[in-house]
Amino acid sequence: MKKDRKLLRGADLIPLAVILILCAVLFIMSRSGKKTVAVVVENGKTLYEIDLESVTGEYTIALDSGVTLAVSPGAICFLASDCKGRDCIRCGKLTSPGQTAACLPNKTIVYITGKTDEKTPDAVVY
Amino acid sequence: MKKNSPAQRAAITGILASLAIATAFLERAVCAALPLPPGVRPGLSNIIVTFACTAMGFPYALGIAAVKSAFTLLSAGVWAGILSFSGGMISVTATALLLRYAKKLSYAGVSVISACLHNLSQLFAVSLLSGSGAYWYLAPVLLLSGAGFGLLTGTALNAVIPALRKLFPFIKKG
């Protein structure tokens, strides 16, 4: 009679290793760069690129999608949203490259990336 | 009733589908209270779907995943429904193929791969529908959580299989 599979096998290490290496590469790539820049994307279009290190005070950004973002020195977060789940707000503050928060119902995504270009402006509005 | 009759299989499929819905509902309620990154879920219903795949076959598992997606569509909205459907179909197909051809993998290994493919297919669906590649910034987090939770659900499946076998002693082994 056929037996059920064992709890763990040596072969399981292969997919785990591949995934961990892939994660490490993607994570290092997203962190590369000197400046911490928050990118705000709505409906597939990049609306803002904010250099979080140059932010001195706190302010909010209200988007057409129904989302309000809060920007503070070194951090950005979803402050309010008219979506059902509020997962975006629960993501909390994004502070370092590689961190991402998204509001899928409102098609809005915010992620932190590292920029190498020293001439990157403090904030760009499209 | 004749053992392993179509009626019995239909009844078991119904029980497993309701279990998948119940675990998905419970998971959503628990995750709502936790500050998890977007898209990160333990995927507890994966235990039920993988069991259905190994014990009853691919079409039954696909049906259970589709029923669970329909529940998500009705209870959490269109976006959640689309993501659940795209992730569910890909992960069930991957699970069925791995159970059939990757005999050296344990349930944990199968769950890790199918969970990661589930998350990547959701990213692909979101990118396609929104027309933006920005969502791929979530890939490292979703891959890592897929590996971690896949390991967890695969191990949990190993733990619950003896109990499920007592309930359904006639179903085939995977």
Side-chain angles (χ1 to χ4, degrees), chain B residues 149-169:
Chain B
F149 285 128
L151 205 60
L152 194 78
T153 54
T155 310
L157 178 65
N158 245 299
V160 298
I161 266 189
L164 289 168
R165 292 242 174 269
K166 279 181 189 169
L167 283 172
F168 316 115

PDB file of all heavy atoms in Angstrom, chain B residues 149-169:
ATOM      1  N   PHE B 149       5.182  30.454   5.222  1.00  0.00           N
ATOM      2  CA  PHE B 149       3.835  29.926   5.493  1.00  0.00           C
ATOM      3  C   PHE B 149       3.594  28.601   4.747  1.00  0.00           C
ATOM      4  O   PHE B 149       2.819  27.768   5.212  1.00  0.00           O
ATOM      5  CB  PHE B 149       2.774  30.968   5.127  1.00  0.00           C
ATOM      6  CG  PHE B 149       2.684  32.097   6.119  1.00  0.00           C
ATOM      7  CD1 PHE B 149       2.748  33.415   5.709  1.00  0.00           C
ATOM      8  CD2 PHE B 149       2.535  31.836   7.465  1.00  0.00           C
ATOM      9  CE1 PHE B 149       2.675  34.460   6.633  1.00  0.00           C
ATOM     10  CE2 PHE B 149       2.456  32.865   8.403  1.00  0.00           C
ATOM     11  CZ  PHE B 149       2.532  34.180   7.981  1.00  0.00           C
ATOM     12  N   GLY B 150       4.246  28.439   3.595  1.00  0.00           N
ATOM     13  CA  GLY B 150       4.138  27.164   2.872  1.00  0.00           C
ATOM     14  C   GLY B 150       4.710  26.026   3.695  1.00  0.00           C
ATOM     15  O   GLY B 150       4.136  24.941   3.780  1.00  0.00           O
ATOM     16  N   LEU B 151       5.844  26.317   4.340  1.00  0.00           N
ATOM     17  CA  LEU B 151       6.484  25.326   5.228  1.00  0.00           C
ATOM     18  C   LEU B 151       5.541  24.988   6.391  1.00  0.00           C
ATOM     19  O   LEU B 151       5.382  23.816   6.769  1.00  0.00           O
ATOM     20  CB  LEU B 151       7.790  25.932   5.762  1.00  0.00           C
ATOM     21  CG  LEU B 151       8.889  24.989   6.191  1.00  0.00           C
ATOM     22  CD1 LEU B 151       9.360  24.108   5.049  1.00  0.00           C
ATOM     23  CD2 LEU B 151      10.081  25.784   6.740  1.00  0.00           C
ATOM     24  N   LEU B 152       4.913  26.035   6.903  1.00  0.00           N
ATOM     25  CA  LEU B 152       3.996  25.871   8.049  1.00  0.00           C
ATOM     26  C   LEU B 152       2.763  25.043   7.665  1.00  0.00           C
ATOM     27  O   LEU B 152       2.394  24.088   8.368  1.00  0.00           O
ATOM     28  CB  LEU B 152       3.568  27.260   8.526  1.00  0.00           C
ATOM     29  CG  LEU B 152       2.889  27.342   9.882  1.00  0.00           C
ATOM     30  CD1 LEU B 152       3.933  27.237  10.990  1.00  0.00           C
ATOM     31  CD2 LEU B 152       2.142  28.660  10.019  1.00  0.00           C
ATOM     32  N   THR B 153       2.131  25.394   6.531  1.00  0.00           N
ATOM     33  CA  THR B 153       0.904  24.681   6.144  1.00  0.00           C
ATOM     34  C   THR B 153       1.218  23.243   5.703  1.00  0.00           C
ATOM     35  O   THR B 153       0.431  22.333   5.957  1.00  0.00           O
ATOM     36  CB  THR B 153       0.148  25.418   5.014  1.00  0.00           C
ATOM     37  OG1 THR B 153       1.038  25.644   3.933  1.00  0.00           O
ATOM     38  CG2 THR B 153      -0.427  26.734   5.469  1.00  0.00           C
ATOM     39  N   GLY B 154       2.381  23.054   5.065  1.00  0.00           N
ATOM     40  CA  GLY B 154       2.779  21.697   4.661  1.00  0.00           C
ATOM     41  C   GLY B 154       2.998  20.807   5.873  1.00  0.00           C
ATOM     42  O   GLY B 154       2.593  19.641   5.906  1.00  0.00           O
ATOM     43  N   THR B 155       3.637  21.386   6.903  1.00  0.00           N
ATOM     44  CA  THR B 155       3.879  20.645   8.144  1.00  0.00           C
ATOM     45  C   THR B 155       2.550  20.364   8.855  1.00  0.00           C
ATOM     46  O   THR B 155       2.337  19.274   9.398  1.00  0.00           O
ATOM     47  CB  THR B 155       4.818  21.457   9.070  1.00  0.00           C
ATOM     48  OG1 THR B 155       5.949  21.860   8.301  1.00  0.00           O
ATOM     49  CG2 THR B 155       5.294  20.639  10.243  1.00  0.00           C
ATOM     50  N   ALA B 156       1.666  21.365   8.830  1.00  0.00           N
ATOM     51  CA  ALA B 156       0.348  21.182   9.456  1.00  0.00           C
ATOM     52  C   ALA B 156      -0.432  20.084   8.740  1.00  0.00           C
ATOM     53  O   ALA B 156      -1.119  19.272   9.390  1.00  0.00           O
ATOM     54  CB  ALA B 156      -0.423  22.501   9.409  1.00  0.00           C
ATOM     55  N   LEU B 157      -0.312  20.034   7.412  1.00  0.00           N
ATOM     56  CA  LEU B 157      -1.008  18.984   6.646  1.00  0.00           C
ATOM     57  C   LEU B 157      -0.520  17.598   7.065  1.00  0.00           C
ATOM     58  O   LEU B 157      -1.314  16.670   7.251  1.00  0.00           O
ATOM     59  CB  LEU B 157      -0.781  19.194   5.142  1.00  0.00           C
ATOM     60  CG  LEU B 157      -1.418  18.147   4.222  1.00  0.00           C
ATOM     61  CD1 LEU B 157      -2.936  18.196   4.315  1.00  0.00           C
ATOM     62  CD2 LEU B 157      -0.988  18.343   2.787  1.00  0.00           C
ATOM     63  N   ASN B 158       0.805  17.488   7.258  1.00  0.00           N
ATOM     64  CA  ASN B 158       1.368  16.223   7.711  1.00  0.00           C
ATOM     65  C   ASN B 158       0.802  15.819   9.065  1.00  0.00           C
ATOM     66  O   ASN B 158       0.605  14.637   9.338  1.00  0.00           O
ATOM     67  CB  ASN B 158       2.892  16.349   7.821  1.00  0.00           C
ATOM     68  CG  ASN B 158       3.587  15.448   6.844  1.00  0.00           C
ATOM     69  OD1 ASN B 158       3.429  14.245   6.904  1.00  0.00           O
ATOM     70  ND2 ASN B 158       4.307  16.031   5.921  1.00  0.00           N
ATOM     71  N   ALA B 159       0.575  16.827   9.908  1.00  0.00           N
ATOM     72  CA  ALA B 159       0.075  16.549  11.254  1.00  0.00           C
ATOM     73  C   ALA B 159      -1.400  16.146  11.250  1.00  0.00           C
ATOM     74  O   ALA B 159      -1.811  15.303  12.054  1.00  0.00           O
ATOM     75  CB  ALA B 159       0.277  17.780  12.133  1.00  0.00           C
ATOM     76  N   VAL B 160      -2.182  16.757  10.347  1.00  0.00           N
ATOM     77  CA  VAL B 160      -3.635  16.483  10.372  1.00  0.00           C
ATOM     78  C   VAL B 160      -4.032  15.295   9.483  1.00  0.00           C
ATOM     79  O   VAL B 160      -5.154  14.787   9.616  1.00  0.00           O
ATOM     80  CB  VAL B 160      -4.480  17.723   9.977  1.00  0.00           C
ATOM     81  CG1 VAL B 160      -4.263  18.853  10.945  1.00  0.00           C
ATOM     82  CG2 VAL B 160      -4.217  18.174   8.556  1.00  0.00           C
ATOM     83  N   ILE B 161      -3.122  14.852   8.625  1.00  0.00           N
ATOM     84  CA  ILE B 161      -3.474  13.750   7.710  1.00  0.00           C
ATOM     85  C   ILE B 161      -3.925  12.472   8.453  1.00  0.00           C
ATOM     86  O   ILE B 161      -4.941  11.879   8.067  1.00  0.00           O
ATOM     87  CB  ILE B 161      -2.331  13.480   6.708  1.00  0.00           C
ATOM     88  CG1 ILE B 161      -2.629  14.293   5.444  1.00  0.00           C
ATOM     89  CG2 ILE B 161      -2.169  12.008   6.369  1.00  0.00           C
ATOM     90  CD1 ILE B 161      -1.758  14.005   4.268  1.00  0.00           C
ATOM     91  N   PRO B 162      -3.248  12.052   9.544  1.00  0.00           N
ATOM     92  CA  PRO B 162      -3.739  10.852  10.241  1.00  0.00           C
ATOM     93  C   PRO B 162      -5.195  11.001  10.714  1.00  0.00           C
ATOM     94  O   PRO B 162      -5.988  10.052  10.611  1.00  0.00           O
ATOM     95  CB  PRO B 162      -2.780  10.717  11.429  1.00  0.00           C
ATOM     96  CG  PRO B 162      -1.539  11.401  10.993  1.00  0.00           C
ATOM     97  CD  PRO B 162      -1.987  12.526  10.134  1.00  0.00           C
ATOM     98  N   ALA B 163      -5.540  12.187  11.203  1.00  0.00           N
ATOM     99  CA  ALA B 163      -6.917  12.424  11.668  1.00  0.00           C
ATOM    100  C   ALA B 163      -7.897  12.403  10.497  1.00  0.00           C
ATOM    101  O   ALA B 163      -8.999  11.831  10.594  1.00  0.00           O
ATOM    102  CB  ALA B 163      -6.991  13.763  12.393  1.00  0.00           C
ATOM    103  N   LEU B 164      -7.494  13.003   9.377  1.00  0.00           N
ATOM    104  CA  LEU B 164      -8.365  13.028   8.195  1.00  0.00           C
ATOM    105  C   LEU B 164      -8.542  11.614   7.625  1.00  0.00           C
ATOM    106  O   LEU B 164      -9.612  11.276   7.116  1.00  0.00           O
ATOM    107  CB  LEU B 164      -7.788  13.965   7.130  1.00  0.00           C
ATOM    108  CG  LEU B 164      -7.862  15.463   7.446  1.00  0.00           C
ATOM    109  CD1 LEU B 164      -7.021  16.267   6.474  1.00  0.00           C
ATOM    110  CD2 LEU B 164      -9.298  15.962   7.409  1.00  0.00           C
ATOM    111  N   ARG B 165      -7.495  10.808   7.739  1.00  0.00           N
ATOM    112  CA  ARG B 165      -7.590   9.424   7.242  1.00  0.00           C
ATOM    113  C   ARG B 165      -8.583   8.604   8.059  1.00  0.00           C
ATOM    114  O   ARG B 165      -9.228   7.698   7.551  1.00  0.00           O
ATOM    115  CB  ARG B 165      -6.220   8.744   7.296  1.00  0.00           C
ATOM    116  CG  ARG B 165      -5.246   9.315   6.324  1.00  0.00           C
ATOM    117  CD  ARG B 165      -4.794   8.277   5.309  1.00  0.00           C
ATOM    118  NE  ARG B 165      -3.955   8.929   4.313  1.00  0.00           N
ATOM    119  CZ  ARG B 165      -4.410   9.448   3.187  1.00  0.00           C
ATOM    120  NH1 ARG B 165      -5.688   9.375   2.880  1.00  0.00           N
ATOM    121  NH2 ARG B 165      -3.591  10.024   2.337  1.00  0.00           N
ATOM    122  N   LYS B 166      -8.668   8.936   9.364  1.00  0.00           N
ATOM    123  CA  LYS B 166      -9.637   8.227  10.216  1.00  0.00           C
ATOM    124  C   LYS B 166     -11.065   8.585   9.789  1.00  0.00           C
ATOM    125  O   LYS B 166     -11.970   7.766   9.817  1.00  0.00           O
ATOM    126  CB  LYS B 166      -9.417   8.602  11.687  1.00  0.00           C
ATOM    127  CG  LYS B 166      -8.271   7.827  12.321  1.00  0.00           C
ATOM    128  CD  LYS B 166      -8.109   8.217  13.776  1.00  0.00           C
ATOM    129  CE  LYS B 166      -6.827   7.612  14.333  1.00  0.00           C
ATOM    130  NZ  LYS B 166      -6.481   8.158  15.650  1.00  0.00           N
ATOM    131  N   LEU B 167     -11.221   9.865   9.387  1.00  0.00           N
ATOM    132  CA  LEU B 167     -12.554  10.322   8.955  1.00  0.00           C
ATOM    133  C   LEU B 167     -12.913   9.734   7.590  1.00  0.00           C
ATOM    134  O   LEU B 167     -14.055   9.367   7.335  1.00  0.00           O
ATOM    135  CB  LEU B 167     -12.581  11.855   8.870  1.00  0.00           C
ATOM    136  CG  LEU B 167     -12.692  12.629  10.177  1.00  0.00           C
ATOM    137  CD1 LEU B 167     -12.516  14.117   9.906  1.00  0.00           C
ATOM    138  CD2 LEU B 167     -14.039  12.377  10.845  1.00  0.00           C
ATOM    139  N   PHE B 168     -11.922   9.697   6.701  1.00  0.00           N
ATOM    140  CA  PHE B 168     -12.162   9.207   5.338  1.00  0.00           C
ATOM    141  C   PHE B 168     -11.164   8.088   5.026  1.00  0.00           C
ATOM    142  O   PHE B 168     -10.196   8.293   4.287  1.00  0.00           O
ATOM    143  CB  PHE B 168     -11.991  10.337   4.320  1.00  0.00           C
ATOM    144  CG  PHE B 168     -12.624  11.638   4.715  1.00  0.00           C
ATOM    145  CD1 PHE B 168     -11.851  12.766   4.954  1.00  0.00           C
ATOM    146  CD2 PHE B 168     -14.004  11.755   4.845  1.00  0.00           C
ATOM    147  CE1 PHE B 168     -12.425  13.973   5.316  1.00  0.00           C
ATOM    148  CE2 PHE B 168     -14.578  12.964   5.214  1.00  0.00           C
ATOM    149  CZ  PHE B 168     -13.791  14.070   5.451  1.00  0.00           C
ATOM    150  N   PRO B 169     -11.358   6.881   5.591  1.00  0.00           N
ATOM    151  CA  PRO B 169     -10.342   5.826   5.459  1.00  0.00           C
ATOM    152  C   PRO B 169     -10.193   5.257   4.052  1.00  0.00           C
ATOM    153  O   PRO B 169      -9.188   4.624   3.746  1.00  0.00           O
ATOM    154  CB  PRO B 169     -10.834   4.747   6.432  1.00  0.00           C
ATOM    155  CG  PRO B 169     -12.286   5.007   6.612  1.00  0.00           C
ATOM    156  CD  PRO B 169     -12.504   6.451   6.401  1.00  0.00           C
TER     157      PRO B 169
END
